């Protein structure tokens, strides 16, 4: 039985949602009267130019929220705060990798956004056009998003670590008219040459008329006459008045491409009204936001987490949102803890991958800093193993900060399953309960709910405001990927179980489940068992073909610093897993490695590890990989074995 951590009476007293009664009342109302529930919130929490005619229209699998209503995301994130006490409040608190600092108030942000929107207008761009944004983590990236939203230009942010080839595929699919980029970005003290990648990508992209380049690193870059323009030159003398376009609630706000396991990336389409309401409400419910908070989500805006919880959610809710340009361990492993201490961060939202890396670096780094300003911790991006959860709770939160372990996806727009921190008792490793309006369940392939503690498919029974509306230019693939395998419900593609308290335990992607001698084993559960061992920093587990058992358990393990005898430790870890889970889960193979193949957002790419143990080669898409040499080394190691 997992440890339970109820919210402290002090936390409950000031929380937005107080106690389980408060959560259950909200949840029941949303389940029983969804249109009334979301309609009241939309009216109260967002500013509309024109009210909707229908709260919800459902033509399976296509949803519309607040149909006929007109609003603007940029107006809701910036303009509406100017008539309040937030006018001079810091909207974006930014630190560059080399230590530069900027504090941009809501009033100043309004000025910057209007100016850049007028720059885009001056290039002939208008509502319905598309922009690709390919930049590092500088405030101008947020400005570019909000300026596009202001004019109704559908934007697609491409993470600054993607290759020219990956960038080209996204430009071509979106048929973008403009690319907004920078000369370069800083990462671990080195210059990432963004403009060079843009130049390379534009061969075969006839739709692009303009490239706007923000000067960040000051490097010399080639500029093609007529097509390429410096941001600062276009910005000279531009008007600071630019009214926000009154856009339909269903106007496409952004398209965000996710890498499929095969084939071309999927362009997830999010629209304006429903998406904005979902991110705005989860910002308040899940993060228990207060006006005086400094909120820091460590994601990159190139991923959906950055869209929803660095830009749109926090700014719509009037928060101070923090942005940091560089790597978490540069110039030393305490960079994050140093920033929390320096800026008195109150809410810290990061990934389990980052947390496991911090554990590996040693407790002396967080112990060297005063982080008493923290009152809430969050995690996002993948299942959170209990051992790392406990470390985060005790070492970073000093056992006084609730942890909101959030489950959601690019497709869901915002958080779906997470504890409301003043209401729901926590269990390490569990996302706990769905937010109001999310009718989640765990079912078999026939769509029937499975028993408590049995593994099944995670589904959502009813559309919610933040749901992706379709895939860009591919509604058939949208229907097939999410709605057809189990008819009439949204299939998340994840394996999960619900315990006897109804708490959800996310076990990873469905393809992260193995079948060993008829036992269905979650890779997540074996990884959790491994990282409980005092020698293990991080582990990735995959199934490898086995002629007798169907599949066998193969483990890739990185160790904490120390002098380890690999042969002895390997045998010890096999026994450890057998003891923690059962002899049927005993790994056949344990391989020690200095690093694991990860995406640039820090997720372990188990698909590549499966390819290595199956065929000893990697043929799938590797454009999202942070460091290709990791795969090369692991393949070579496999040859030696």
């Amino acid at each position: 039985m997992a440890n339970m951590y109820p919210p402290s009476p002090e936390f409950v007293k000031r929380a937005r949602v107080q106690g389980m009664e408060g959560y259950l009342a909200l949840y029941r109302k949303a389940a029983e009267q969804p249109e009334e529930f979301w309609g009241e919130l939309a009216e109260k929490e967002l500013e509309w130019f024109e009210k909707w005619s229908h709260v919800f229209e459902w033509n399976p699998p296509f949803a519309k929220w607040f149909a006929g209503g007109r609003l603007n995301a940029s107006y809701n994130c910036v303009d509406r705060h100017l008539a309040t006490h937030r006018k001079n409040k810091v909207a974006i608190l930014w630190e560059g990798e080399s230590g530069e600092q900027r504090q941009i108030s809501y009033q100043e942000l309004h000025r910057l956004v209007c100016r850049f929107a007028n720059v885009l207008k001056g290039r002939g761009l208008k509502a319905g056009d598309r922009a690709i944004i390919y930049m590092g983590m500088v405030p101008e990236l947020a400005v570019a998003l909000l300026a596009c939203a202001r004019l109704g230009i559908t934007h697609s942010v491409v993470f600054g670590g993607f290759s020219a080839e990956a960038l080209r595929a996204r430009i071509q699919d979106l048929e973008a008219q403009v690319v907004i980029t920078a000369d370069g970005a800083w990462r671990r003290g080195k210059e990432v040459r963004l403009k060079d990648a843009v130049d390379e990508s534009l061969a075969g992209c006839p739709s692009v008329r303009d490239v706007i380049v923000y000067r960040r690193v000051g490097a010399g870059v080639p500029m093609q006459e007529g097509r390429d323009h410096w941001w600062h030159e276009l910005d000279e003398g531009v008007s600071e008045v630019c009214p926000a376009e009154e856009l339909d609630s269903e106007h496409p706000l952004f398209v965000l491409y996710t890498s499929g396991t095969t084939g071309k990336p999927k362009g997830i389409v999010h629209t304006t009204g429903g998406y904005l309401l979902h991110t705005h409400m989860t910002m308040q419910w899940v993060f228990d936001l207060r006006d005086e908070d400094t909120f820091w989500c460590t994601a990159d805006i190139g991923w959906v987490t950055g869209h929803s919880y660095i830009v749109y959610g926090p700014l719509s809710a009037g928060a101070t949102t923090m942005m940091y340009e560089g790597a978490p361990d540069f110039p030393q492993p305490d960079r994050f803890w140093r920033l929390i201490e320096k800026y008195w961060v109150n809410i810290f939202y990061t990934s389990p991958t980052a947390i496991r890396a911090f554990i590996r670096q040693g407790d002396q780094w967080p112990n060297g800093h005063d982080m008493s300003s923290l009152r809430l911790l969050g995690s996002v991006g993948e299942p959170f193993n209990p051992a790392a959860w406990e470390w985060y709770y005790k070492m970073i939160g000093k056992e006084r900060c609730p942890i909101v372990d959030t489950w959601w996806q690019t497709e869901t727009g915002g958080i779906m399953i997470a504890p409301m921190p003043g209401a729901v008792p926590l269990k390490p490793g569990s996302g706990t309960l769905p937010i109001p309006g999310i009718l989640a369940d765990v079912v078999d392939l026939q769509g029937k709910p499975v028993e408590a503690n049995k593994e099944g498919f995670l589904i959502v029974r009813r559309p919610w405001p933040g749901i992706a509306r379709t895939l860009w230019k591919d509604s058939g693939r949208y229907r097939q990927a999410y709605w057809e395998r189990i008819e009439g419900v949204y299939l998340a593609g994840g394996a999960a179980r619900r315990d006897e308290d109804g708490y959800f335990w996310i076990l990873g992607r469905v393809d992260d489940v193995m079948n060993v001698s008829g036992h269905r084993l979650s890779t997540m559960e074996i990884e959790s068992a491994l990282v409980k061992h005092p020698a293990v920093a991080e582990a990735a587990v995959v199934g490898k073909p086995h002629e007798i058992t169907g599949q066998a358990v193969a483990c890739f393990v990185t160790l904490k610093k120390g002098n380890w005898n690999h042969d002895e430790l390997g045998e010890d870890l096999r026994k450890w897993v057998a003891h923690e889970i059962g002899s049927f889960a005993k790994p056949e193979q344990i391989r020690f490695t200095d690093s694991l193949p990860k995406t640039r957002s820090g997720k372990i790419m188990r698909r590549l590890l499966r390819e290595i143990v199956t065929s000893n080669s990697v043929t799938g898409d590797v454009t999202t990989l942070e460091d290709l040499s990791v795969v090369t080394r692991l393949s070579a190691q496999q040859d030696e074995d």
Side-chain angles (χ1 to χ4, degrees):
M1 180 66 192
N3 296 335
M4 289 275 278
Y5 294 92
S8 70
E10 302 80 53
F11 197 98
V12 174
K13 207 180 291 177
R14 290 195 63 192
R16 280 179 178 269
V17 180
Q18 298 182 343
M20 278 300 278
E21 308 75 28
Y23 162 75
L24 290 170
L26 268 180
Y27 193 83
R28 270 195 298 269
K29 180 167 183 191
E32 291 164 10
Q33 303 167 295
E35 294 195 33
E36 189 180 316
F37 179 81
W38 290 116
E40 281 174 7
L41 287 175
E43 199 161 356
K44 176 172 166 254
E45 298 288 342
L46 300 182
E47 295 266 341
W48 297 82
F49 299 122
E50 202 173 301
K51 198 177 167 183
W52 54 89
S53 52
H54 304 290
V55 170
F56 177 57
E57 289 179 13
W58 181 227
N59 181 17
F62 304 107
K64 286 184 178 180
W65 284 89
F66 314 112
R70 302 188 82 76
L71 79 168
N72 186 288
S74 179
Y75 185 93
N76 271 278
C77 288
V78 188
D79 304 47
R80 66 162 160 167
H81 302 304
L82 303 186
T84 73
H85 66 281
R86 297 192 181 115
K87 180 175 73 167
N88 296 313
K89 178 180 175 174
V90 175
I92 297 174
L93 178 62
W94 177 81
E95 181 159 307
E97 191 177 71
S98 59
E100 312 105 295
Q101 300 164 48
R102 287 168 68 187
Q103 297 190 23
I104 301 170
S105 68
Y106 275 95
Q107 193 169 23
E108 172 74 356
L109 183 61
H110 180 256
R111 214 172 57 78
L112 293 171
V113 169
C114 286
R115 289 180 74 96
F116 192 62
N118 281 327
V119 164
L120 295 173
K121 259 190 190 173
R123 304 308 308 164
L125 292 151
K126 61 191 183 309
D129 288 341
R130 276 92 53 210
I132 289 275
I133 305 173
Y134 181 68
M135 299 176 79
M137 281 287 285
V138 290
E140 279 65 24
L141 172 50
V143 168
L145 264 70
L146 293 164
C148 287
R150 194 168 196 84
L151 300 179
I153 299 165
T154 301
H155 62 71
S156 186
V157 183
V158 179
F159 173 59
F162 272 128
S163 66
E165 189 185 329
L167 179 60
R168 180 188 296 122
R170 288 154 174 77
I171 295 169
Q172 287 175 337
D173 191 62
L174 197 68
E175 297 176 283
Q177 287 85 4
V178 61
V179 175
I180 302 163
T181 187
D183 53 355
W186 294 113
R187 187 75 178 175
R188 292 198 169 90
K190 295 190 176 72
E191 184 189 321
V192 180
R193 292 187 64 86
L194 297 173
K195 175 62 165 56
D196 290 358
V198 170
D199 289 343
E200 192 186 328
S201 74
L202 286 178
C205 295
S207 64
V208 175
R209 300 193 306 261
D210 291 289
V211 176
I212 299 173
V213 187
Y214 175 70
R215 181 172 277 160
R216 168 68 187 125
V217 297
V221 292
M223 299 288 281
Q224 186 179 305
E225 199 171 338
R227 184 195 72 183
D228 299 352
H229 321 273
W230 286 109
W231 179 314
H232 62 274
E233 289 178 0
L234 293 178
D235 190 59
E236 277 173 27
V238 166
S239 166
E240 292 173 1
V241 177
C242 181
E245 291 290 321
E246 299 186 6
L247 300 167
D248 189 89
S249 179
E250 285 295 311
H251 182 81
L253 177 61
F254 65 87
V255 176
L256 192 53
Y257 287 88
T258 69
S259 298
T261 45
T262 56
K264 67 173 191 170
K266 297 181 290 194
I268 310 287
V269 178
H270 280 290
T271 58
T272 305
Y275 167 80
L276 196 63
L277 183 64
H278 188 141
T279 55
H280 179 93
M281 292 315 305
T282 47
M283 195 67 217
Q284 297 187 11
W285 285 335
V286 177
F287 297 111
D288 191 47
L289 188 69
R290 297 178 191 163
D291 215 25
E292 68 272 19
D293 283 332
T294 296
F295 175 83
W296 183 19
C297 168
T298 68
D300 191 286
I301 293 173
W303 311 110
V304 73
T305 304
H307 282 60
S308 297
Y309 299 108
I310 296 177
V311 183
Y312 291 113
L315 294 175
S316 174
T320 294
T321 182
M322 185 164 143
M323 283 177 72
Y324 165 59
E325 177 183 40
D329 55 357
F330 187 84
Q332 287 187 302
D334 64 344
R335 187 63 183 266
F336 275 12
W337 318 132
R338 191 176 290 278
L339 289 168
I340 288 170
E341 179 178 42
K342 179 177 180 177
Y343 293 109
W344 281 83
V345 172
N346 308 108
I347 304 168
F348 179 65
Y349 190 37
T350 195
S351 70
T353 297
I355 292 156
R356 288 191 290 266
F358 299 143
I359 294 171
R360 195 176 184 201
Q361 288 156 359
D363 294 353
Q364 70 275 23
W365 297 107
N367 279 338
H369 295 278
D370 173 7
M371 294 188 280
S372 57
S373 60
L374 289 171
R375 66 176 187 85
L376 187 69
L377 301 172
S379 82
V380 60
E382 60 186 314
F384 199 178
N385 55 292
W389 192 105
E390 293 275 5
W391 181 90
Y392 193 32
Y393 184 72
K394 288 167 183 166
M395 180 57 56
I396 306 306
K398 303 300 182 199
E399 301 190 37
R400 53 179 182 75
C401 300
I403 295 175
V404 290
D405 178 0
T406 65
W407 175 81
W408 58 294
Q409 304 170 299
T410 306
E411 294 88 341
T412 72
I415 293 164
M416 302 286 278
I417 296 173
M420 291 195 178
V424 178
L426 310 174
K427 288 186 191 182
S430 170
T432 72
L433 301 170
I435 66 157
I438 306 306
L439 302 187
D441 206 348
V442 179
V443 301
D444 61 20
L445 265 178
Q446 282 66 53
K448 295 195 179 85
V450 299
E451 295 168 35
N453 289 312
K454 287 278 193 302
E455 188 185 295
F457 297 91
L458 182 59
I459 60 140
V460 185
R461 296 196 177 278
R462 186 194 288 159
W464 58 97
I467 189 172
R469 297 305 192 257
T470 187
L471 298 179
W472 184 256
K473 296 194 299 192
D474 203 344
S475 57
R477 192 178 175 193
Y478 174 75
R479 186 191 297 272
Q480 188 187 348
Y482 305 107
W483 296 93
E484 282 188 348
R485 281 175 67 192
I486 301 177
E487 201 173 337
V489 300
Y490 173 83
L491 182 66
R497 63 182 171 83
R498 289 182 87 172
D499 66 17
E500 55 286 344
D501 297 319
Y503 278 38
F504 284 78
W505 297 76
I506 311 299
L507 304 173
R509 303 285 304 169
V510 172
D511 53 13
D512 290 338
V513 175
M514 300 170 289
N515 198 323
V516 180
S517 298
H519 296 285
R520 284 177 63 74
L521 291 170
S522 157
T523 58
M524 170 65 192
E525 285 180 290
I526 300 173
E527 288 166 12
S528 290
L530 284 165
V531 296
K532 272 190 194 170
H533 190 283
V536 176
E538 198 165 28
V541 172
V542 294
K544 63 177 281 191
H546 192 281
E547 56 187 22
I548 297 167
T549 60
Q551 281 185 302
V553 178
C555 308
F556 295 80
V557 172
T558 61
L559 299 173
K560 293 176 182 171
K561 290 185 173 61
N563 295 316
W564 307 106
N565 179 316
H566 284 189
D567 291 338
E568 286 176 14
L569 185 57
E571 191 49 40
D572 186 30
L573 288 174
R574 292 177 77 236
K575 288 176 184 164
W576 175 271
V577 171
H579 174 263
E580 290 284 316
I581 297 174
S583 57
F584 56 87
K586 197 173 186 179
E588 182 186 80
Q589 187 181 45
I590 290 189
R591 293 167 56 186
F592 299 103
T593 174
D594 290 335
S595 46
L596 294 165
K598 292 179 182 175
T599 65
R600 295 175 179 89
S601 62
K603 284 188 187 174
I604 296 166
M605 293 186 78
R606 291 171 186 81
R607 173 173 57 81
L608 301 183
L609 295 175
R610 269 196 299 277
E611 287 191 50
I612 287 169
V613 299
T614 305
S615 62
N616 196 27
S617 64
V618 171
T619 54
D621 174 26
V622 291
T623 53
T624 57
L625 197 60
E626 170 83 53
D627 181 0
L628 195 55
S629 68
V630 174
V631 171
T632 312
R633 287 197 301 276
L634 285 170
S635 298
Q637 190 184 339
Q638 176 87 355
D639 287 337
E640 289 161 21
D641 295 348

